[in-house]
């Protein structure tokens, strides 16, 4: 067990950093419950995980993974590839930790809509608690967020009569930038925004969202629209092949 504290300017010890290496489950549980509301938690070990909410998903193979839990309720289960976590819950979610028969269990619960991520960790290799700051005035212009904001405020940028019904719509395959309803029959439309040239991965991402919603909603889904300042020739080929749409919009012109 190795617990480190940084010293602030006033000379008092503050636990900006706590670490446990190969801890007993009870030690890990104590640190998690002590720091979960103030620190970012990093929990590494051999684990399995599951998600249940709008759909179901499981990581059944016991293997090394990394859990990141933030004080705002963000909860993520990462593996060694991909930018995004395999399973996650957005804020506001609540973290509950327990130990049963020597296995550390983490439950991230989102109340509305109800979504639960459960992680069982029979082998705990590392637990860290780090205090991070929050930048209050951070701003980057011409971002995807600017594009999403502009479309949310003025949906006619994409299509006349389009109604925005949700943004950052959470699904097990990722967050849909904008979920809209078209003026012709009120069918759902998935809108994916990119700040720079859209490539094949952006098209495949949009396709996954549309397929996921289509499985849930059936005929109520019209399709997807990719919004970006430009699109590569390969991406445009896939877009046409999948029956998806493209709208050319320059984020910087909307700032």
């Amino acid at each position: 067990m190795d617990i480190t504290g940084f010293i602030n300017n006033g000379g008092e010890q503050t636990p900006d950093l706590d670490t446990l290496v190969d801890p007993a489950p009870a030690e890990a549980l104590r640190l998690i419950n002590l720091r979960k509301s103030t620190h970012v938690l990093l929990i590494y070990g051999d684990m399995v995980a599951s998600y249940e909410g709008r759909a179901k998903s499981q990581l059944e193979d016991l293997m090394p993974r990394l859990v990141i839990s933030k004080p705002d309720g963000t909860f993520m289960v990462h593996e060694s590839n991909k930018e995004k976590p395999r399973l996650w819950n957005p804020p506001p979610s609540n973290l509950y930790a327990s130990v049963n028969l020597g296995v550390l269990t983490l439950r991230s619960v989102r109340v509305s809509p109800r979504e639960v991520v459960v992680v069982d960790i029979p082998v705990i290799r590392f637990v860290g608690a780090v205090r991070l700051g929050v930048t209050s005035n951070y701003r980057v212009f011409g971002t995807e967020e600017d594009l999403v904001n502009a479309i949310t405020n003025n949906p006619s940028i994409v299509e006349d009569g389009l109604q925005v019904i949700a943004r950052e719509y959470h699904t097990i395959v990722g967050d849909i930038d904008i979920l809209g309803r078209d003026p012709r029959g009120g069918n759902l439309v998935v809108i994916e925004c990119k700040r720079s040239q859209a490539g094949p991965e952006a098209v495949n991402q949009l396709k996954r969202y549309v397929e996921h919603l289509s499985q849930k909603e059936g005929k109520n889904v019209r399709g997807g629209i990719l919004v970006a300042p430009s699109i590569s020739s390969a991406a445009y080929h896939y877009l046409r092949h999948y029956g998806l749409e493209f709208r050319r919009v320059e984020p910087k012109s909307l700032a």
Side-chain angles (χ1 to χ4, degrees):
M1 175 176 176
D2 176 25
I3 298 182
T4 304
F6 289 150
I7 306 299
N8 64 16
N9 294 331
E12 296 179 358
Q13 194 173 34
T14 57
D16 286 344
L17 171 64
D18 286 352
T19 61
L20 300 172
V21 178
D22 295 327
E27 291 179 317
L29 179 64
R30 178 181 176 277
L31 181 57
I32 290 168
N33 285 333
L34 187 64
R35 304 293 181 221
K36 66 181 182 180
S37 62
T38 57
H39 290 56
V40 174
L41 299 176
L42 307 172
I43 303 154
Y44 166 64
D46 296 348
M47 61 185 75
V48 295
S50 64
Y51 162 86
E52 184 169 355
R54 303 181 190 188
K56 291 185 178 181
S57 182
Q58 289 187 321
L59 304 176
E60 296 180 330
D61 294 333
L62 183 66
M63 66 175 63
R65 294 184 174 96
L66 176 68
V67 169
I68 301 177
S69 177
K70 298 184 179 182
D72 68 352
T74 302
F75 186 87
M76 300 174 286
V77 181
H78 280 278
E79 295 183 349
S80 64
N81 63 347
K82 303 296 184 182
E83 173 188 0
K84 295 183 178 180
R86 289 293 187 189
L87 298 178
W88 76 298
N89 245 352
S93 300
N94 295 312
L95 175 62
Y96 303 95
S98 62
V99 172
N100 184 29
L101 298 178
V103 176
L104 174 66
T105 298
L106 306 175
R107 295 179 69 250
S108 171
V109 180
R110 187 186 187 197
V111 176
S112 181
R114 183 168 177 80
E115 297 178 288
V116 180
V117 178
V118 179
V119 181
D120 290 322
I121 314 174
V123 180
I124 311 165
R125 305 187 182 201
F126 175 84
V127 178
V130 294
R131 191 196 300 273
L132 301 181
V134 177
T135 301
S136 59
N137 58 350
Y138 179 75
R139 185 75 170 94
V140 177
F141 294 95
T143 64
E144 290 176 12
E145 183 180 2
D146 290 328
L147 189 53
V148 171
N149 287 338
I151 295 171
T152 301
N153 294 330
N154 183 14
S156 63
I157 293 172
V158 174
E159 184 172 290
D160 288 338
L162 178 71
Q163 177 188 2
V164 173
I165 59 176
R167 55 179 292 170
E168 296 298 323
Y169 184 78
H170 182 57
T171 76
I172 62 169
V173 296
D175 283 356
I176 295 173
D177 287 337
I178 297 175
L179 185 62
R181 198 177 297 280
D182 75 4
R184 302 184 299 277
N187 294 316
L188 295 176
V189 180
V190 177
I191 300 171
E192 177 66 19
C193 300
K194 297 297 177 185
R195 67 179 298 271
S196 57
Q197 185 182 72
E201 177 55 33
V203 178
N204 288 328
Q205 184 180 15
L206 179 60
K207 175 176 174 284
R208 288 195 299 270
Y209 293 154
V210 172
E211 288 177 343
H212 175 71
L213 275 189
S214 296
Q215 291 174 0
K216 292 177 57 180
E217 306 293 341
K219 296 180 180 180
N220 293 326
V221 180
R222 182 183 104 189
I225 301 175
L226 182 60
V227 179
S230 62
I231 186 170
S232 71
S233 58
Y236 187 72
H237 169 77
Y238 288 120
L239 196 83
R240 295 291 300 272
H241 178 72
Y242 296 140
L244 303 172
E245 304 172 50
F246 174 69
R247 299 288 188 276
R248 188 183 307 277
V249 177
E250 176 59 60
K252 293 181 181 179
S253 68
L254 303 173

